[in-house]
């Protein structure tokens, strides 16, 4: 069962609410990247990129490994599992609704085109 009032779930959706952070996560899918590499496509300062990364870290979506002066960021995709489970509940809801609609449409004969026109 998915906890609806989970602080972790709130943090995940907060992190994913920003397009810059979503693009950073996408760029981390292939390999770890430095803060500078993550900042480059956005033309933002390293400080601004670091603030975005901190939000991702608090949500558990990213870990940071320090190697000398380089901060290497790693994607933690398992952190998305709680958000995916929450969304899956709504997927099941809409699938059931669409299946019910399909059953109604399959059961009723089509309305002739002449009956659907409005008089002029």
């Amino acid at each position: 069962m998915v906890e609806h009032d989970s602080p972790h779930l709130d943090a995940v959706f907060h992190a994913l609410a920003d397009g810059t952070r979503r693009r950073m996560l996408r760029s981390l899918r292939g390999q770890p990247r430095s803060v500078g590499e993550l900042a480059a496509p956005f033309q933002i300062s390293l400080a601004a990129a670091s603030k975005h990364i901190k939000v991702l870290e608090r949500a558990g979506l990213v870990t940071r490994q320090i190697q000398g002066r380089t901060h290497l960021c790693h994607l933690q995709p398992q952190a998305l599992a709680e958000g995916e489970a929450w969304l899956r509940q709504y997927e099941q809801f809409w699938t059931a609704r669409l299946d019910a609609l399909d059953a109604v449409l399959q059961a009723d004969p089509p309305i002739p085109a002449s009956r659907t026109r409005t008089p002029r």
Side-chain angles (χ1 to χ4, degrees):
M1 181 87 174
V2 177
E3 179 86 25
H4 293 287
D5 294 325
S6 163
H8 178 256
L9 186 61
D10 293 346
V12 167
F13 283 122
H14 171 72
L16 295 175
D18 183 84
T20 300
R21 291 190 288 267
R22 288 191 307 272
R23 286 181 54 200
M24 285 179 167
L25 287 174
R26 191 176 319 129
S27 73
L28 289 169
R29 283 188 308 190
Q31 66 186 33
R33 300 203 184 273
S34 69
V35 173
E37 290 171 322
L38 290 173
F42 306 104
Q43 299 177 347
I44 59 177
S45 69
L46 294 178
S50 187
K51 287 181 181 181
H52 281 294
I53 293 165
K54 285 178 184 173
V55 172
L56 294 170
E57 285 177 307
R58 281 192 295 271
L61 296 166
V62 168
T63 57
R64 195 185 307 217
Q65 176 186 9
I66 301 172
Q67 298 176 339
R69 291 179 49 180
T70 304
H71 289 224
L72 204 56
C73 298
H74 299 266
L75 179 64
Q76 300 300 316
Q78 65 276 14
L80 291 169
E82 188 177 356
E84 179 185 12
W86 186 84
L87 289 170
R88 191 165 311 283
Q89 293 176 345
Y90 293 94
E91 176 187 19
Q92 292 169 354
F93 168 81
W94 284 110
T95 299
R97 294 283 194 218
L98 292 172
D99 288 347
L101 175 61
D102 185 50
V104 168
L105 294 174
Q106 296 295 327
D108 289 343
I111 299 171
S114 62
R115 292 180 61 197
T116 60
R117 291 193 184 136
T118 56
R120 292 184 184 208

